[in-house]
Each structure stands twice: as C-alpha cells, then as structure tokens.
C-alpha cells in the first residue's frame, strides 16, 4: 500500500492560503504520559505508527514513555509494538517499525518524583543532539485529569514546559476537561498557568473524524444546502451517538461521570456547533472557534428540564445473540449507582437563523446498534397539490450526515411510485465514502496528533468552548441530581421510555438509524 500524503487540500479546516504550514511534521519528540492506559495502547501508539507509515513524521522523531514502571527502553518498545500490531490501521512494515523504534526512550518515575522529571529533561535534551529533534516537544497527558496539575507543575519546575527561541513546547490533554464549569475553570487555569493558551491542545476526537470535517465542506463548499439551512425550512435536528458496547473495563472511570458528561458536553455539543454555526471568515482556528463559540453561547435549555431531558441506565438484555449484563452488574460497579448510561436533551439555539428549531441530542451505551449521525429534518412542503391518500407515505425531507460507521450523507425526499396512479413515497439518495473515494479515511487520532506536531490548532476546542459547554450542561446535571435514579432500559433497545415521551410531547419521534 503506498503511503497517502496529506495535502492542504485534504484538510478543510486548514487555511489553504496559509503556505507556511508544512504537511509533514518538522523535527520533534513526543513525551507520552500514561503509556499503560487503554487510550495510549488502542489509539495514540497505533496512530503514531500509522503516521510514520504514511511518511508524515520527521526522520528523527522520538517517542518518550514516562510511567511508574521499572522498564528499559526495549520494554517500552515492546508495549508499543504490541499496541501497533493489534490496533494500527495501516499494514505492519518492518522498515517503518525499525526506524520508529530507534527513537524510543523510557523514563521511569512517579508524578511526584522531581528526579524523574529532571531525568526526562536530560533525555529530551539528549534527543535534540542524538536525533535532531530541534528541541521541539509535545507532552501528551493520557492520564486521569486529577494528575494534570501535578504533571504540568513538574514540567514547569524542570524547565521542560519552556520553549527556547525558535522551538516549541505543547501539551495535549484528553477529556474530561473537568466535571462541571467550576472544575473546568480550575483545570484551565492550572494548564494555562504553565503553557500559553496557544500551546494547549485539547483532544475531542470527534473533530478529527473525516465525516465531521466534511460537514463544513458540505455546508460551505456548496450552493445547494446553505440557502435552506435555517428556521424557514428546517423543522428540527437530531444528533445521535449510539453505542452498542457497555462500560465493561471502564466501570470505575465511567461511574459518577455518565453519558452527558462523557459525550454530550464535548462530542455532541461540538457537532451541534458545527451544524449550526455561521460561515467562518476563513478556515483558521481563530475564525472557526469564534463561530462555534457564538453558537454555544446561544444554546438555550428549555424551562422544564423534566420534559426536555431524559436519562437512563442499561439493564440486562440481549446484544444481538449475546446475553449481556446490566450496568449495575458490571465488574467493579458500586451498588446502587445512579450514573446515567443514556442521556437525551432538547435545546434551542437563540439566533435569527435557528429561532424555534429544536435540536435533540442523544447518546447511550448498549443501544440497538453503533451509529453516529446528524439528521437535519425539513418542514413539510407548505402546500401539497395532491389528494391526501397520494401522499400518505410521504415523510419529511432530511439530510443525514452519517458520521459512522457507514460514513456518508443521505438525502431523503419524496418520489412518485411507478404506476398509473400518483403516489408519493420517501426515497433516499446516498453518498458513501467507500464508493466515492479510493483513499481510506485516517483515524481521528492520526489527524489530531499530526496537527499537534504541525501546530495547527483548528480542530482543538479552546478554553471558552469548553467552559460554554459546561455552562449548558451544569443546570441539567443539577436537575438530574435532585431527580432520583435514571430509568432502566433493556440492553439492545433504543433507550428509556422517557426519551420517547420527550419527543412525543413535541409530536415527533426519534429516528431509527
Ligand atoms: C469517548 C467516550 O470520548 O468516545 C467513550 O469517552 C466512547 O465512552 C467513545 O465509547 C466513542 O468513540 P467512537 O469514536 O468509537 O465513537
């Protein structure tokens, strides 16, 4: 398989006029904290290998692992090797692997161990001379947020956070970006107290997905959609992120967080922002973020949260032919947990474009299938010059952005059924990535890690977006905290009855993607 080169044209979020951005990362090293975690093994390490395999990393690229393990460089290499073998997207090539592995280093230590961080500083300096990393370093904190402060302070104390002239130092943090607005502010203050705001890269991996970026191409590169993309024509929008998996193995992380904090606060509100935002002045980080923030600041919750939100918890049931446990029976779960594994929320966006158009967001674990989509549902035609019986089976027009797994876009509209009578029924027109393009989509993490190394911040939410999103969610969480336990729903279903009732009150139904 020949390596695919990333060109500026491939990335709709990068300013095509900005000729300064190289497509291949310049000399640098990445320090990875949390090397034994799930995310590192399943996403970060494989993505680094895939980037190397596609020729997008510089020759002297170095990966430094830091963990509380008594390992030598080779032991760390073995961990990366296993992760790559199991999870990489591109084929395993011995030559790529060998070249990459030459840059592996491991520093053992605790986060409170000054000496370990001093050793890390020495290692980074050595790499500059040995491998020509140019003193450019990214610090990837794939660790629980409770440790962000401690690690940032250590990076500050040891001088690692400070870039010399002409060099860069950047920090990458993973969600959850706090637990609520207050904790997010604290966290932002800690991280941005050490690194300048433009050196902080917050990963929301949904923004790295090809289909999510395509939403911007769909809206702003075409004449067809934008004129009808408003309250005059749109009835409502449904944003769904459904998963068929449970929380197995992550019970202790997930308990106390729940579906709304885990997914609505970040992924779904970002999808909403991209769906609802105005055209940015240019596809630069500054302009994109400004437009998204305007949307987030205009999001309004309904007055009555008991009828405009719903939450549930999966009970035992069937996932296909497998009998599966309920949330409360998952290993490591605290008895009686009230954490929701399903959350649905209705909001409106108070702008001229969207006044009166409800946005329904829902996410859940152990639902009927894995699917993420944005469905923009249009109003019915204001006048139908047909008999009622002729349009009985005509629904509402819709544009559905299929984020995953069957990536593409579907257009639903009415069409005449062949035959002597006039009968109009819904049909669909499909665009599928798989059949329209020969290139396969990179993994979100490939895209995002490369952008960290390139210093391209467009796809990373900044402080204001994170805080605005918590401002939306906090009242919902407070309401739920006073409202008893979430409603159980059978695993393998489409969620709790209360979510359907919420839609029924508006005379609508959830889609069955
Ligand atoms: C993560 C959530 O952000 O996204 C997980 O923390 C969820 O709970 C995951 O499973 C889903 O990601 P994807 O890319 O598989 O839709």
């Amino acid at each position: 398989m020949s390596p695919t080169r990333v060109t500026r044209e491939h990335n709709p979020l990068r300013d095509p006029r900005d000729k300064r951005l190289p497509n291949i990362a310049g000399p640098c090293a990445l320090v990875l904290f949390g090397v034994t975690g799930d995310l590192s093994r399943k996403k970060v390490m494989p993505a680094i290998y895939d980037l190397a395999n596609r020729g997008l990393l510089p020759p002297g690229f170095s990966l430094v692992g830091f963990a509380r393990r008594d390992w030598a460089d080779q032991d760390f290499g073995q961990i990366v090797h296993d992760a790559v073998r199991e999870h990489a997207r591109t084929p395993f090539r011995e030559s790529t692997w060998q070249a990459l592995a030459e840059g592996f280093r491991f520093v053992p230590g605790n986060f409170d161990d000054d000496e370990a961080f001093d050793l890390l500083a020495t290692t980074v300096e050595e790499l500059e001379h040995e491998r020509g990393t140019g003193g450019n370093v990214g610090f990837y904190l794939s660790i629980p947020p409770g440790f962000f402060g401690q690690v940032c302070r250590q990076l500050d104390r040891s001088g690692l956070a400070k870039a010399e002239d002409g060099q860069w130092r950047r920090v990458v943090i993973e969600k959850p970006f706090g637990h609520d607005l207050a904790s997010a502010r604290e966290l932002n203050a800690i991280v941005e107290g050490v690194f300048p705001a433009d050196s902080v890269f917050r990963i929301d991996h949904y923004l790295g997905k090809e289909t999510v970026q395509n939403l911007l191409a769909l809206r702003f590169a075409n004449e067809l959609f934008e004129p009808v993309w408003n309250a005059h024509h749109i009835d409502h929008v449904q944003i769904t992120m459904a998963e068929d998996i449970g929380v197995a193995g992550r019970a202790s992380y997930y308990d106390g967080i729940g579906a709304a904090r885990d997914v609505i606060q970040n992924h779904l509100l970002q999808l909403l922002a991209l769906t609802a935002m105005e055209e940015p002045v240019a596809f630069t980080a500054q302009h994109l973020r400004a437009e998204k923030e305007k949307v987030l600041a205009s999001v309004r919750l309904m007055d009555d949260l008991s009828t405009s939100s719903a939450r549930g918890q999966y009970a035992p049931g069937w996932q296909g032919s497998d009998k599966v446990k309920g949330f409360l029976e998952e290993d490591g779960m605290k008895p009686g947990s009230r954490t929701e594994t399903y959350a649905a929320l209705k909001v409106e966006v108070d702008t001229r474009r969207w006044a009166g158009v409800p946005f329904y967001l829902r996410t859940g674990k152990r639902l009927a299938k894995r699917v993420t989509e944005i469905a923009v549902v249009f109003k019915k035609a204001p006048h139908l010059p047909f008999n009622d019986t002729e349009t009985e089976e005509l629904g509402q027009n819709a544009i559905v952005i299929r984020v995953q797994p069957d990536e593409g876009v579907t257009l639903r509209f009415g069409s005449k059924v062949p035959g002597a009578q006039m009968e109009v029924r819904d049909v669909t027109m499909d665009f599928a990535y798989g059949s329209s393009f020969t290139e396969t989509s990179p993994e979100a993490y490939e895209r995002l890690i490369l952008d960290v190394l390139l210093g391209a911040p467009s796809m990373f939410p900044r402080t204001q977006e994170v805080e605005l999103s918590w401002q939306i969610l906090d009242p919902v969480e407070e309401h739920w905290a006073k409202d008893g336990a979430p409603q159980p729903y059978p695993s393998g279903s489409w969620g709790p009855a209360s979510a359907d009732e919420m839609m029924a009150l508006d005379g609508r139904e959830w889609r069955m993607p």
Side-chain angles (χ1 to χ4, degrees), residues 113-385:
D113 180 352
D114 290 2
E115 265 176 46
F117 278 83
D118 292 341
L119 180 59
L120 181 63
T122 312
T123 307
V124 162
E125 216 177 298
E126 281 167 7
L127 284 172
E128 192 179 338
H129 306 299
E130 285 170 21
R131 298 196 39 91
T133 56
N136 302 316
V137 190
F139 299 98
Y140 198 122
L141 310 195
S142 186
I143 53 177
F147 294 110
F148 287 174
Q150 197 173 19
V151 172
C152 283
R153 277 189 291 271
Q154 285 285 15
L155 294 175
D156 193 23
R157 187 202 54 78
S158 56
L160 277 161
K162 191 170 172 337
E164 299 296 329
D165 279 353
Q167 302 180 344
W168 55 259
R169 300 283 155 118
R170 299 180 185 134
V171 68
V172 184
I173 55 177
E174 283 279 349
K175 55 174 267 285
F177 311 124
H179 196 74
D180 53 15
L181 179 60
S183 57
R185 281 190 174 141
E186 268 171 44
L187 188 65
N188 285 330
I190 292 172
V191 177
E192 292 186 4
V194 173
F195 290 91
D198 62 1
S199 301
V200 180
F201 288 71
R202 295 175 182 81
I203 293 215
D204 180 320
H205 77 284
Y206 264 64
L207 294 178
K209 289 188 193 269
E210 201 67 46
T211 34
V212 172
Q213 293 177 26
N214 188 41
L215 184 53
L216 298 177
L218 183 92
R219 289 193 55 200
F220 302 125
N222 296 301
E223 176 58 15
L224 195 54
F225 307 111
E226 209 45 28
V228 292
W229 208 262
N230 55 53
H232 296 302
H233 302 283
I234 293 176
D235 179 67
H236 71 279
V237 178
Q238 294 190 22
I239 304 182
T240 300
M241 178 192 153
E243 293 185 278
D244 51 4
I245 52 167
V247 297
R250 292 171 81 218
S252 57
Y253 158 80
Y254 196 84
D255 190 24
I257 291 187
R261 288 189 174 100
D262 187 38
V263 170
I264 293 186
Q265 190 273 343
N266 37 80
H267 307 326
L268 295 197
L269 285 175
Q270 284 289 327
L271 293 186
L272 180 150
L274 293 172
T275 307
M277 75 181 204
E278 296 301 317
E279 184 175 287
V281 174
F283 283 116
T284 59
Q286 180 203 351
H287 293 300
L288 265 166
R289 287 162 161 178
E291 294 305 337
K292 284 195 287 169
E293 282 159 22
K294 269 158 59 184
V295 174
L296 294 171
S298 314
V299 167
R300 179 172 50 82
L301 297 172
M302 303 296 100
D303 291 339
D304 186 358
L305 283 170
S306 24
T307 53
S308 61
S309 72
R311 77 204 153 112
Q313 194 181 66
Y314 63 83
W318 291 87
Q319 207 82 52
S321 53
D322 296 331
K323 197 165 180 6
V324 294
K325 292 181 193 171
F327 180 68
L328 294 176
E329 289 88 55
E330 295 284 11
D331 295 340
M333 187 54 62
K334 282 200 243 64
S337 164
R338 290 184 166 193
T339 299
E340 86 281 356
T341 60
Y342 176 101
L345 182 64
K346 173 186 172 185
V347 299
E348 289 194 7
V349 178
D350 280 345
T351 59
R352 176 176 285 240
R353 186 194 277 263
W354 294 110
V357 178
F359 282 72
Y360 300 98
L361 315 179
R362 66 173 160 166
T363 182
K365 303 250 181 222
R366 284 269 183 248
L367 295 182
K369 67 193 254 203
R370 172 175 182 256
V371 58
T372 300
E373 62 162 43
I374 303 165
V376 177
V377 182
F378 288 81
K379 292 181 174 169
K380 291 210 165 189
H383 170 69
L384 289 172

